[in-house]
Amino acid sequence: MHQMVTAGVDISRRWWVLAIVVAAQFMFGVDAFVVNVAIPTIAIELNASPAQIESVIAIYLISYATLIVTGGRLGDIYGTKPVFLAGVLGFTVTSLWCALARSGPELIMARLAQGATAAAMVPQVLATLHLLFADQARARAFGIYGVALGLAGAAGFALGGVLVTLDIAHLGWRTVFLVNVPFGLAIIAAGTRIMPPAPLRPGTRLDIPGAVVLFVGLLCLIGPLLFGHDVHWAPWLWLIMAAGVVIVAAFPRLERAIASRGGMPLIDLSLLSDVRFMRGLCAAFFFFLANLSFYFVMTVFMQKTLQIPPLQGGLVFVPLALTFVVASRHSGARAKHRGTLVLIEGCIVQMIALAAIGLLVFQIEAPSALALSLVLAIFGYGQGLVMAPLSSAVLVTVKPAAAGAGSGMYGTTAQIANAAGVAAIGAVFFAIEASRSAQHALFAALVMFVLSIVTCVAFLSWMRCARA
């Protein structure tokens, strides 16, 4: 039987390993969307404030974003397999904690821990794929991985609606977290038996000060946006945000100091001088700013204002997820011929869909779930055209030796933008909803989504002008 020299696993067995790590990635993807569907129900049962329900999503993303690079480094130091299994175990346990939470603050703490464990689990997925599929099967393996990412969205929306509606054993929204427990245990059992040990990367060290400083800085920046309305935008909130700006601005200086002492900083400092890469990161930030926040606002509006039940509300997003998968499959080939123009086209499609949503909501007092799903499907297609090739376009000038660091910075930027979008756009939505109406709040959010995507297009155009 042919042996895989690099991983010590035979050709047929590696596809089982692929199934294990992709199952973990799928569980992570489903969790990101299933919570959105359950958020309105969680808010009612836990008597959570708008700031608390925003935090349930945002704190998870901040924790995940600031620790994902550290999670990748842990895999290099201790091995991909043990860190992956520890991450899955942690994700499973913290999911159980989320399900047992009795208050908004407790659920926020559980989500903080869940994001940290996801940061240990997820980086090992791509590391394992890179290790096991270095031959002609690589394209097929990554194709399976990509489809799983897209289908996770559809599964998350549908599963969230089904679980909340079925109210199994009168557990309600808690089942959206409990569902991770049996799947997590199954992945651990299979991974323990089948996954091969991976070679360690000598000389790798953790940048704990960098991770802590970045986490604190982002929390100071985004936290006040989450809780500002609850405390009537007290003056001390602005002082905390100012401190966050100072901390984040000082972060690169800290990283340079760590590098000068012979340490291994959290980010690859050489990438900061790559003009095209930095402009691409800015484009990615504004694209993702209007990503998860869009689903958050639309879910709250549909369930709270339009009174669409959770099951129907979840199914409304399924066509969006499916057109996203279709567009993702098309975008790779189109990007080879048209380059970043495909990304700009996808942004334009998204803006057309956002305008259509605005017209639909203001022309029809209570648009049907079917009408909403058709318009959302257009948005999903535009988003799929952008998201799939965006990372490749941003990382194209990054040297192979810095590929891991570049990917980590891209992933961190995307999740920070997701958290910032939920916090900032969510805060505007709830403030206008309280003072005016839900329709006006949605219109303001749609305008912010459009402005964010327009800014993304501007940076994409600027990126095309840059030389590596």
Side-chain angles (χ1 to χ4, degrees):
M1 184 176 290
H2 298 290
Q3 297 293 319
M4 292 290 294
V5 178
T6 55
V9 58
D10 65 67
I11 298 289
S12 59
R13 188 179 167 194
R14 64 177 175 165
W15 292 102
W16 288 105
V17 177
L18 172 71
I20 292 167
V21 296
V22 167
Q25 181 72 54
F26 186 80
M27 179 174 68
F28 168 76
V30 167
D31 188 80
F33 291 100
V34 75
V35 175
N36 268 280
V37 178
I39 276 291
T41 309
I42 293 172
I44 294 170
E45 185 167 326
L46 295 184
N47 194 27
S49 68
Q52 288 175 349
I53 65 172
E54 286 179 82
S55 298
V56 167
I57 296 175
I59 199 69
Y60 172 84
L61 296 169
I62 295 171
S63 176
Y64 174 72
T66 54
L67 294 174
I68 188 171
V69 176
T70 300
R73 292 268 168 84
L74 285 171
D76 292 333
I77 296 171
Y78 298 107
T80 302
K81 179 178 179 178
V83 175
F84 172 77
L85 293 176
V88 176
L89 177 60
F91 193 81
T92 303
V93 171
T94 51
S95 294
L96 180 61
W97 183 13
C98 290
L100 297 176
R102 296 296 174 183
S103 67
E106 184 184 358
L107 181 57
I108 292 168
M109 290 302 298
R111 287 284 282 172
L112 174 71
Q114 192 185 32
T117 59
M121 174 180 71
V122 173
Q124 317 315 321
V125 175
L126 280 177
T128 301
L129 292 184
H130 279 296
L131 182 67
L132 294 184
F133 295 93
D135 56 6
Q136 65 274 11
R138 184 180 180 87
R140 183 183 172 197
F142 275 86
I144 293 171
Y145 170 79
V147 170
L149 285 180
L151 292 179
F157 285 125
L159 185 63
V162 168
L163 290 175
V164 171
T165 302
L166 288 179
D167 193 18
I168 301 169
H170 303 292
L171 291 170
W173 61 266
R174 300 178 189 276
T175 53
V176 305
F177 294 109
L178 285 173
V179 74
N180 291 334
V181 176
F183 283 106
L185 293 175
I187 291 169
I188 292 168
T192 302
R193 293 190 59 185
I194 298 174
M195 287 184 70
L200 305 183
R201 182 181 166 192
T204 305
R205 294 181 297 278
L206 290 177
D207 176 15
I208 295 176
V212 171
V213 167
L214 184 60
F215 177 78
V216 172
L218 291 172
L219 207 57
C220 289
L221 272 175
I222 297 175
L225 294 175
L226 295 169
F227 293 96
H229 181 70
D230 285 8
V231 297
H232 307 292
W233 297 102
W236 54 266
L237 276 181
W238 302 103
L239 293 177
I240 292 175
M241 290 186 72
V245 171
V246 172
I247 293 170
V248 172
F251 175 70
R253 182 174 295 182
L254 171 67
E255 295 294 274
R256 290 188 179 94
I258 291 171
S260 67
R261 294 196 299 266
M264 184 173 284
L266 200 64
I267 61 174
D268 189 327
L269 296 172
S270 67
L271 293 174
L272 299 180
S273 60
D274 186 335
V275 175
R276 182 183 172 96
F277 174 72
M278 294 305 296
R279 291 176 184 176
L281 276 189
C282 291
F285 178 87
F286 285 101
F287 172 77
F288 284 101
L289 193 72
N291 178 37
L292 208 57
S293 56
F294 171 79
Y295 299 112
F296 174 75
V297 166
M298 288 303 301
T299 301
V300 171
F301 181 80
M302 285 193 298
Q303 292 191 32
K304 188 177 175 182
T305 304
L306 300 183
Q307 297 294 304
I308 296 176
L311 176 58
Q312 202 173 359
L315 294 177
V316 163
F317 286 99
V318 172
L320 179 154
L322 295 178
T323 55
F324 176 91
V325 173
V326 171
S328 298
R329 299 281 291 177
H330 291 166
S331 61
R334 293 182 65 183
K336 288 181 181 178
H337 301 290
R338 298 180 59 78
T340 54
L341 286 176
V342 172
L343 305 177
I344 294 173
E345 290 167 1
C347 288
I348 292 171
V349 171
Q350 287 181 88
M351 288 188 282
I352 291 171
L354 290 169
I357 292 170
L359 287 173
L360 184 65
V361 170
F362 277 89
Q363 291 296 321
I364 304 173
E365 186 174 347
S368 67
L370 177 61
L372 284 169
S373 67
L374 292 175
V375 179
L376 289 172
I378 299 171
F379 183 85
Y381 189 82
Q383 197 173 56
L385 285 178
V386 180
M387 194 176 292
L390 180 58
S391 59
S392 177
V394 173
L395 296 168
V396 69
T397 58
V398 175
K399 295 179 176 62
S407 298
M409 288 178 67
Y410 177 86
T412 300
T413 299
Q415 298 308 325
I416 289 170
N418 273 324
V422 170
I425 299 177
V428 171
F429 176 84
F430 286 120
I432 296 177
E433 181 189 41
S435 62
R436 297 289 298 273
S437 69
Q439 280 76 12
H440 284 93
L442 179 64
F443 181 76
L446 291 172
V447 170
M448 293 181 74
F449 295 142
V450 170
L451 290 175
S452 184
I453 294 171
V454 167
T455 308
C456 171
V457 171
F459 273 108
L460 286 173
S461 301
W462 200 23
M463 184 182 75
R464 294 182 70 210
C465 301
R467 291 184 178 181

